[in-house]
Every structure is written in C-alpha cells, then in structure tokens.
Amino acid sequence: RITSSNLNIKLVSILGNVTDEKRVSEVLSFYSINTIYHAAAYKHVPLVEHNINEGVQVNTIGTYTVAALAMKNNVDTFILISTDKAVRPTNVMGASKRFAELVLQGLAKESSKTCFSMVRFGNVLGSSGSVVPLFREQIKDGGPVTVTHQDIIRYFMTIPEAVQLVIQAGAMGAKGSGGDVFVLDMGEPVKISELATKMIHLMGFNVKDKENPDGDIEIEYTGLRPGEKLYEELLIGDNATGTSHPRIMRAEEEAYDFNEIKSYIERLQQALSRLDYEVVRQLLIEVVKGYEPSGDIHIGHFITILK
C-alpha cells in the first residue's frame, strides 16, 4: 500500500491567487511543472450567486489565467476539475465553471505542447462541502436535520473513487489530442431526504414526524436556495462515448475556437473591472448554452456591526 511515508516526494506549499498572473507565472517557471490539476474555484452555489463578480473572476478568469500560463510554460498536462452543475446551469457557479470548460477547449485547439482536459462529476462524500458531515453534526446536536427540498437528488462518490478516476481520466486526455470533457459514472442519484433518514437511523435515533411525534430527530425542509436545482445532470447532450475505463465517458459537446473564446474573455474582464453585473450575466448567457438564471442578480451585502 502506497502511503505518504514511503514515497520520496518533496511537498512544497505555495500561497497565491489563481487570478494573480505574476504569481502564477513565477511559480510555473520556477518549478517546471509537468501536470496541473486545477481545482481552485468558488463552489458554494448561494455564495457565488450573491457575489457574481468574485465567482466569475476566480472560476472563469482564474482558470483562463492559469491555463494560458501553463501553455506558455510548456506544462505537459492540464486537468480541470469541473462539476455536474456546469450542465444546463441555473446558477452563476455552474455557468462560470462551464465557461471555464469552454476556455480550455478553445486553448486546446491552439496548444501543441500542453494537453488540456476536463473531468466533470458530482458531489464527493465526506468533503468539506458535503451534506454528510453537516447531517452528522446536526444529528449530534439533536436536530433538526435541514434539507432544502423533499424531492432534491444528488450524485455522490467517495473521495478515493473521485481521486483515482480523475487521475485516470487525466491520463486518457494526455494520450489524445486534448480538449476532452470526461464524465465520471456516479452511479444512481441519491434522494437527500432518504439519506438524512438513513443517517438518523444509523446513528441510533428515530425520525420525528407526523407519523412518529415521539421520535428523536426532525427533518426540516428549508426551501431551495438561490440558484439551486432539484437534480443535476452530467451530460449536456446525448453524445457520449465510452473509453477504455468502464466508469469514464467522453462527452462530445459544442465548443468555441480560441479567437472566439479569447474575445469573450476580454469582454468579460472589462465588465468585471467595471463591476457591470448586468453585462457579466449577459455574457454568461451568451457563451454558456442552456444557462437560465433562476432569479434576479444578487450583489453581496455588506455587514454592519452594531456596537
């Protein structure tokens, strides 16, 4: 079994921002990087929905910055960690991640050295953003367990599964011409209300509801959050092909050429610098086919501390 203790690998911690072109360039040129797994993104749907500029700046512009510099510094392989929320998005987070996918597909058509690919999948069990640790803490505290909607469903995968499949998909991309969107087989979707019920039972309690008013833990339905969907998808269309791995598919989806995507990026950067939220949203709608915003534009609220 391979562990960190028996590998002769030197770990170096580098602090920086993916939107900081000078810092990213400095790191890539100094360390002669072979492979980049680009996971840096704001992934919290309601938070990004209320902070559109910051979300797009990191998720889209940050991806473009690192990817372009990866190509400039002759990085061999660049793999974007994408999300199922990029498919027909109803929120800024998903739209900004789909835009990031399109950025890489455009760069892939220009690159002769760096191989760009994307891996799209759903939720990872046990990660910091997973409902599992949240539910566990809520149950320990005596409830209620909060679920946004009784019919909401999500795909889940364990951390080891996700890591192994991402690495394998990245290796497949490196063997091809680049620009591939790989989709991981997440299995059957899970109904979140049923997950909450099972976790309550597994931790030795009973659900408190109308049928069982003397139960221990109540499930409270709080309503869908801004930009949240009842269910997620992994494919934009029906054009998916198999690969040499049974749990990895290759999505055949529409893309832009490099000059088109570069023009959109420039316009997006200008709108972001002006804090022009309307134009930022309109560009997302124009570029990301299938993006249908679920509400009005939200601007992050300032917090007033009362003394």
Side-chain angles (χ1 to χ4, degrees):
R1 181 173 179 264
I2 297 176
T3 64
S4 58
S5 61
N6 58 27
L7 285 175
N8 185 25
I9 296 175
K10 182 180 179 181
L11 298 178
V12 181
S13 299
I14 304 294
L15 187 62
N17 190 312
V18 293
T19 64
D20 186 342
E21 187 173 345
K22 183 178 178 181
R23 178 61 168 155
V24 174
S25 182
E26 177 186 45
V27 172
L28 292 183
S29 60
F30 182 82
Y31 286 100
S32 301
I33 305 297
N34 299 113
T35 302
I36 294 176
Y37 291 96
H38 184 70
Y42 287 135
K43 301 183 180 74
H44 192 284
V45 171
L47 187 62
V48 174
E49 202 68 15
H50 285 85
N51 296 274
I52 180 171
N53 260 39
E54 288 71 20
V56 173
Q57 186 74 48
V58 169
N59 295 359
T60 304
I61 303 300
T63 298
Y64 175 75
T65 300
V66 180
L69 289 171
M71 190 166 69
K72 181 180 179 181
N73 287 275
N74 294 319
V75 172
D76 295 325
T77 311
F78 186 105
I79 300 102
L80 172 69
I81 307 301
S82 193
T83 170
D84 54 0
K85 292 176 176 62
V87 178
R88 278 180 281 276
T90 57
N91 51 68
V92 175
M93 195 282 273
S96 62
K97 290 290 283 183
R98 176 56 186 152
F99 202 140
E101 290 182 354
L102 291 165
V103 163
L104 293 199
Q105 289 176 303
L107 287 171
K109 296 178 181 180
E110 289 291 303
S111 177
S112 59
K113 168 65 176 176
T114 304
C115 178
F116 294 100
S117 60
M118 296 127 272
V119 185
R120 188 189 293 158
F121 56 101
N123 300 276
V124 178
L125 283 168
S127 65
S128 59
S130 171
V131 294
V132 173
L134 172 64
F135 286 176
R136 188 181 296 119
E137 289 302 312
Q138 290 178 333
I139 294 168
K140 284 181 180 179
D141 292 340
V145 174
T146 55
V147 178
T148 57
H149 194 283
Q150 61 185 6
D151 295 323
I152 197 166
I153 59 174
R154 289 292 182 266
Y155 290 97
F156 286 98
M157 180 176 283
T158 66
I159 293 174
E161 282 180 310
V163 171
Q164 291 172 20
L165 290 173
V166 164
I167 292 173
Q168 289 172 320
M172 288 178 185
K175 294 177 182 178
S177 58
D180 293 302
V181 178
F182 294 105
V183 179
L184 304 187
D185 179 4
M186 302 288 296
E188 293 299 317
V190 175
K191 197 170 184 179
I192 302 301
S193 59
E194 293 178 0
L195 175 63
T197 300
K198 287 179 181 178
M199 286 189 65
I200 291 170
H201 290 157
L202 287 170
M203 292 180 70
F205 300 102
N206 291 315
V207 176
K208 180 180 180 181
D209 54 21
K210 291 180 180 179
E211 286 71 34
N212 186 21
D214 296 323
D216 309 297
I217 306 291
E218 187 176 2
I219 298 176
E220 179 181 310
Y221 296 101
T222 58
L224 290 175
R225 300 173 299 176
E228 190 172 33
K229 295 166 72 175
L230 277 178
Y231 63 95
E232 302 292 354
E233 305 165 89
L234 289 165
L235 291 169
I236 293 175
D238 298 324
N239 298 325
T241 57
T243 65
S244 57
H245 195 289
R247 296 191 63 189
I248 301 174
M249 296 178 292
R250 182 182 283 102
E252 305 290 340
E253 297 172 349
E254 183 181 355
Y256 297 95
D257 64 32
F258 176 71
N259 288 330
E260 284 181 299
I261 206 68
K262 186 178 180 182
S263 174
Y264 279 125
I265 284 290
E266 290 171 353
R267 291 166 59 190
L268 188 61
Q269 287 174 317
Q270 292 167 5
L272 290 168
S273 67
R274 299 193 307 267
L275 301 181
D276 195 332
Y277 305 105
E278 292 283 354
V279 172
V280 171
R281 173 185 270 194
Q282 190 55 46
L283 282 168
L284 289 178
I285 293 171
E286 187 176 340
V287 174
V288 180
K289 308 304 181 187
Y291 171 42
E292 296 184 4
S294 58
D296 296 331
I297 293 176
H298 300 275
I299 299 176
H301 301 289
F302 292 100
I303 299 174
T304 301
I305 301 176
L306 300 177
K307 296 183 179 179

